[in-house]
Amino acid sequence: MRELILGHEPAIRVGFFFGVLAVMALWEVAAPRRPATLGRWARWPSNLGIVVLNTVLVRLLLPTTVVALALVGEANGWGLLHQLALPAWVALPLAVIALDLAVYLQHVMVHAVPVLWRLHRVHHADLHFDVTTGARFHPIEILLSMLIKFAAILVIGPSPEAVVVFEVLLNATAMFNHGNVRLPVAVDRWLRWLVVTPDMHRVHHSVEDDETNSNFGFNLPWWDRLFGTYRAQPRGGHEGMTIGIRGWRDPQQVDRLPGMLALPFLGKVTDYVINRRQWARPATGNE
Ligand SMILES: [Zn+2]
Ligand SMILES: [Zn+2]
């Protein structure tokens, strides 16, 4: 089993990426949730182009891979799960859940820290929300994510198999929950106890700040409910809500590769979240 998974890891990942992409793209054509703001030809070359760029940069710039690091960690007994020496059928799901929590916390962090939000807003600036939105991240954010994942692997101590399962699962669920697809309301209500659904994650892509700062989960939906960041639906409804970031509405800037790469370096750093100095006054405040 180990040889099968580790020996074919790149093929497994690429296969799942294109498999899920194809299924979601067909589903988006068959049953779209919202009309497209911009056509596929205006967005997909850039959204998929940045994925290719990120893949090359990660290979060139990082000294190791997540799987290689997990193998070294296993050989040396690094990390909590190796210390506990649990049976594999217990350790593997625990590792996947712990890695997912790390990704949730990282996502909250990139919204809260203004400089990191500059990087992460490339993901949010897309004017439409579909399967390719799930893969578009600025290269610097991808490199930062990889370093955080390396640290999480050293602390948590997942097996190499658990790392592959987590990577494939996270990639597949991220493409699923960015899908511009329609699910029956009853199915969505049940499914969002197991996995983040498109209707749940779409709230996170609203231009409204309070909606953007909710539903941070990419894979497991429990963290948002547990940590108080869960929001069931957007105020404007899924068809009425506006996707993207307020003030960044030029397709040349936000949906073309050069504009996307430049986005973190534009504008003031003081216009978001914890740097904001103007708050709505309470209606009955006593000053
Ligand atoms: Zn986000
Ligand atoms: Zn997203």
Side-chain angles (χ1 to χ4, degrees), residues 12-25 27-28 100 130-135 137 149 163-179 181 191 195-198 201 218-220:
I12 292 171
R13 287 170 66 154
V14 170
F16 267 93
F17 176 78
F18 284 106
V20 176
L21 181 67
V23 168
M24 293 309 298
W27 191 356
E28 287 180 345
D100 197 61
D130 73 8
V131 57
T132 62
T133 313
F137 290 92
K149 213 175 280 175
V163 169
V164 177
V165 168
F166 175 72
E167 291 282 277
V168 168
L169 204 61
L170 183 70
N171 192 243
T173 53
M175 289 204 284
F176 165 67
N177 62 44
H178 286 86
V181 294
L191 197 59
V195 67
V196 175
T197 64
H201 190 69
F218 273 122
N219 182 18
L220 298 173

Side-chain angles (χ1 to χ4, degrees), residues 107 123-124 129 133-134 137 178 201 204-205 218:
H107 192 184
H123 178 66
H124 281 264
F129 175 93
T133 313
F137 290 92
H178 286 86
H201 190 69
H204 183 73
H205 281 259
F218 273 122

Side-chain angles (χ1 to χ4, degrees), residues 32-224:
R33 185 72 163 101
R34 295 160 49 90
T37 331
L38 279 175
R40 285 207 170 87
W41 281 110
R43 297 172 46 256
W44 281 36
S46 303
N47 283 1
L48 295 176
I50 208 166
V51 174
V52 174
L53 180 67
N54 288 339
T55 309
V56 172
L57 284 175
V58 162
R59 275 280 157 84
L60 288 179
L61 296 178
L62 295 180
T64 182
T65 66
V66 283
V67 173
L69 190 64
L71 277 166
V72 175
E74 185 182 63
N76 292 285
W78 293 338
L80 193 62
L81 289 172
H82 290 311
Q83 290 298 316
L84 292 175
L86 299 164
W89 65 271
V90 179
L92 192 140
L94 279 181
V96 169
I97 292 169
L99 287 167
D100 197 61
L101 174 59
V103 170
Y104 167 85
L105 292 174
Q106 179 195 337
H107 192 184
V108 173
M109 180 181 78
V110 298
H111 276 255
V113 179
V115 168
L116 300 182
W117 165 248
R118 286 179 160 251
L119 300 172
H120 184 60
R121 68 184 177 188
V122 172
H123 178 66
H124 281 264
D126 202 347
L127 296 173
H128 186 47
F129 175 93
D130 73 8
V131 57
T132 62
T133 313
R136 60 171 261 172
F137 290 92
H138 195 275
I140 303 175
E141 182 173 11
I142 287 288
L143 291 169
L144 179 73
S145 298
M146 290 301 295
L147 295 179
I148 290 172
K149 213 175 280 175
F150 289 166
I153 287 170
L154 294 178
V155 172
I156 295 166
S159 66
E161 289 89 342
V163 169
V164 177
V165 168
F166 175 72
E167 291 282 277
V168 168
L169 204 61
L170 183 70
N171 192 243
T173 53
M175 289 204 284
F176 165 67
N177 62 44
H178 286 86
N180 181 34
V181 294
R182 190 177 291 277
L183 272 174
V185 175
V187 174
D188 181 273
R189 195 182 308 132
W190 284 104
L191 197 59
R192 64 168 69 185
W193 283 103
L194 287 177
V195 67
V196 175
T197 64
D199 274 13
M200 183 175 161
H201 190 69
R202 195 178 297 103
V203 179
H204 183 73
H205 281 259
S206 165
V207 290
E208 304 296 339
D209 290 347
D210 60 331
E211 293 181 340
T212 310
N213 285 301
S214 58
N215 299 3
F216 292 95
F218 273 122
N219 182 18
L220 298 173
W222 314 323
W223 313 121
D224 285 298

